């Protein structure tokens, strides 16, 4: 914080990930873009993202474009480790663009959010089954993701998935014949009276620790994005009485 305004106080970055100049939204939230100016994520790459949000600050982190996971000829996965720390009275939202695993790619990501009591946190993310329009449906080698959110050291949300397509697993889990998956978690505030959802596309619920979770699948990316955006704004309003986010790109 700088006075009563949210400000980026310290910024350390190294290629291939970069942070461009933040913008203050009309609601007072500071919008920060994380950019990868290269052609995508390569096998063997390792990226780390560390964010600390002080009390009273309001931060929205976005990515400028989709995460394109390039093929890995030697089978080594690209890895990414994300760690957030959010103080009491602060809010952090992370809504990256879609992850698209190319044929022959391998990707493993972990995201850990440590919140103090009274902190607010939101995450939504989407995953494609591949470059669908070029016929690369579930042609990647592997995709792994682990998300854990804790409040005062107590875990309130845990989500892990590992996808390894093969000749007999072209429709894993809840995907069926769908090509796009969404997931998300919201922490902070009372349990919403009206859990959002779109029949056949997006569902929501509450974890044993009180976190609100989202899960969805769709045949078309825009359909899933539309349902996810509606759910996101509904939860922001119910949990935090927050106005709609007006993103400027």
């Amino acid at each position: 914080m700088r006075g009563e305004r949210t400000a980026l106080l310290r910024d350390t970055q190294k290629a291939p990930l970069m942070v461009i100049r933040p913008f203050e939204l009309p609601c007072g939230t500071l919008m920060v873009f994380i950019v990868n100016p290269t052609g995508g994520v390569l096998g063997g790459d390792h990226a780390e993202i560390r964010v600390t949000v002080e009390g009273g600050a309001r931060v929205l982190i976005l990515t400028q474009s989709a995460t394109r996971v390039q093929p890995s000829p030697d089978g080594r996965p690209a890895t990414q480790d994300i760690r957030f720390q959010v103080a009491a009275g602060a809010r952090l939202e992370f809504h990256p663009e879609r992850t698209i695993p190319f044929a022959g790619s391998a990707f493993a990501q972990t995201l850990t959010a440590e919140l103090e009591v009274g902190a607010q946190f939101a995450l939504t993310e989407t995953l494609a089954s591949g470059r669908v329009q070029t016929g690369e449906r579930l042609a990647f080698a592997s995709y792994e993701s682990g998300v854990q959110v804790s409040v005062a050291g107590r875990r309130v949300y845990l989500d892990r998935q590992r996808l390894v397509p093969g000749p007999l697993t072209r429709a894993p889990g809840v995907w069926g014949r769908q090509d796009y998956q969404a997931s998300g978690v919201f922490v902070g505030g009372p349990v919403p009276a009206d859990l959002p959802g779109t029949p056949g596309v997006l569902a929501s619920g509450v974890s044993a620790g009180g976190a609100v979770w989202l899960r969805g699948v769709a045949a078309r990316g825009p359909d899933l994005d539309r349902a996810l955006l509606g759910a996101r704004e509904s939860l922001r309003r119910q949990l935090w009485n927050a106005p709609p986010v007006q993103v400027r790109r």
Side-chain angles (χ1 to χ4, degrees), residues 6-248:
T6 301
L8 180 58
L9 299 181
R10 187 173 66 176
D11 170 17
T12 302
Q13 55 186 296
K14 181 179 179 181
L17 295 182
M18 301 174 60
V19 177
I20 64 175
R21 183 172 65 88
F23 296 90
E24 184 176 345
L25 299 176
C27 60
T29 295
L30 191 71
M31 181 177 66
V32 181
F33 276 102
I34 296 178
V35 179
N36 185 338
T38 70
V41 180
L42 305 177
D45 283 357
H46 177 69
E48 295 182 359
I49 299 174
R50 303 286 186 267
V51 178
T52 299
V53 184
E54 297 181 353
R58 299 285 185 269
V59 181
L60 169 64
I61 300 178
L62 304 172
T63 57
Q64 191 175 40
S65 61
T67 298
R68 298 172 177 85
V69 188
Q70 299 287 347
S72 178
D74 62 5
R76 290 188 301 161
T79 59
Q80 183 162 268
D81 181 41
I82 303 172
R83 295 180 184 272
F84 296 140
Q85 290 184 311
V86 189
R91 178 189 302 158
L92 172 61
E93 299 181 67
F94 182 44
H95 305 301
E97 293 294 318
R98 200 176 330 280
T99 297
I100 305 175
F102 289 17
S105 67
F107 185 65
Q109 174 176 281
T110 58
L111 187 152
T112 304
E114 299 286 348
L115 317 180
E116 293 182 358
V117 174
Q120 299 171 344
F121 175 73
L123 163 71
T124 59
E125 52 186 349
T126 61
L127 171 68
S129 64
R131 291 188 293 180
V132 179
Q133 301 305 318
T134 63
E136 290 185 1
R137 182 179 194 273
L138 295 173
F140 54 88
S142 64
Y143 172 86
E144 297 184 51
S145 173
V147 178
Q148 178 172 295
V149 183
S150 299
V151 177
R154 175 176 174 264
R155 188 172 66 199
V156 298
Y157 177 82
L158 176 65
D159 179 51
R160 291 176 178 167
Q161 58 178 320
R162 182 172 185 265
L163 302 176
V164 182
L168 302 179
T169 58
R170 290 298 177 184
V174 298
W175 280 45
R177 291 295 176 182
Q178 316 290 20
D179 284 315
Y180 298 90
Q181 170 189 293
S183 59
V185 58
F186 285 71
V187 178
V191 175
D194 181 20
L195 287 171
T198 302
V201 178
L202 188 74
S204 62
V206 181
S207 74
V212 179
W213 55 262
L214 298 170
R215 182 74 77 186
V217 290
R220 298 180 65 252
D223 294 340
L224 185 59
D225 294 340
R226 189 162 43 250
L228 187 62
L229 178 59
R232 190 166 77 199
E233 291 302 337
S234 172
L235 290 173
R236 296 179 75 257
R237 183 181 65 253
Q238 293 187 74
L239 293 172
W240 309 327
N241 194 30
V245 172
Q246 299 176 355
V247 175
R248 297 185 298 172

